[in-house]
Amino acid sequence: MTFPVLVFALLAALSSLECGRGSTVEDYRNTSCIESEKLALLHLKHGLVDDFNYLSSWDGDDCCAWHGVGCNNGTGHVTRLDLRNGMLRADHLYPSLLDLKYLTYLDLSGNSFDEMKIPQFFGSFKDLTYLDLSYTYFEGLVPHHFGNLSKLQH
């Protein structure tokens, strides 16, 4: 393997490494989150029962450094929220999450939202490409607003 090819292969491998849960190295370099988005995340946390301190890192000014949160390197906007298998509980999720206007990835799988309907506002995340609500124990029908998720791939 020649040196330029080796360097290219190394760079390609590094760019696919994960930092945190599902975010690439590029997503996490020197980012600082947007204040309104940090407040939306804290509002979410306030509404969750976190018996196992899954969200214990959700403290401090930079929400991009919090467990399960991924931000765009250039803008600092929250683009990923990965709370899978957090054993979190709630009987209500607040629509303040709509302040995460650049969210493309949402994974709430493996948490317990017993006796709660799937929030209709989830259908308002127009840039969402990934949504996982498996094993969340939501009840009822999938809201027709999910038809608005035209970019959804998973």
Side-chain angles (χ1 to χ4, degrees):
M1 195 181 267
T2 65
F3 182 73
V5 174
L6 182 61
V7 169
F8 177 78
L10 181 60
L11 289 174
L14 285 174
S15 70
S16 67
L17 287 176
E18 293 190 3
C19 288
R21 303 191 78 169
S23 298
T24 63
V25 171
E26 295 160 7
D27 289 334
Y28 269 146
R29 276 184 269 145
N30 299 321
T31 55
S32 181
C33 70
I34 307 299
E35 184 69 18
S36 62
E37 295 177 4
K38 178 178 88 171
L39 293 175
L41 291 168
L42 289 173
H43 198 220
L44 170 67
K45 180 183 177 184
H46 179 73
L48 296 172
V49 178
D50 184 9
D51 294 325
F52 299 96
N53 293 319
Y54 185 78
L55 303 176
S56 61
S57 71
W58 286 32
D59 192 15
D61 288 332
D62 188 8
C63 64
C64 295
W66 296 351
H67 178 75
V69 177
C71 296
N72 177 285
N73 182 44
T75 65
H77 286 292
V78 173
T79 58
R80 298 174 61 91
L81 187 56
D82 185 349
L83 302 180
R84 71 180 146 204
N85 299 322
M87 298 195 296
L88 302 167
R89 296 182 290 124
D91 58 10
H92 181 77
L93 291 176
Y94 296 102
S96 61
L97 279 180
L98 289 175
D99 287 341
L100 305 179
K101 295 180 188 337
Y102 298 92
L103 199 64
T104 61
Y105 183 103
L106 179 60
D107 191 339
L108 298 176
S109 64
N111 292 290
S112 183
F113 304 117
D114 292 341
E115 300 180 21
M116 183 175 145
K117 294 191 183 317
I118 299 172
Q120 289 187 6
F121 71 83
F122 282 5
S124 298
F125 291 116
K126 62 182 174 68
D127 292 325
L128 212 57
T129 59
Y130 183 98
L131 176 64
D132 193 343
L133 301 177
S134 61
Y135 302 104
T136 54
Y137 306 102
F138 281 117
E139 291 187 352
L141 300 173
V142 174
H144 72 276
H145 295 87
F146 274 43
N148 298 332
L149 302 177
S150 60
K151 295 182 181 179
L152 204 58
Q153 297 172 8
H154 175 85

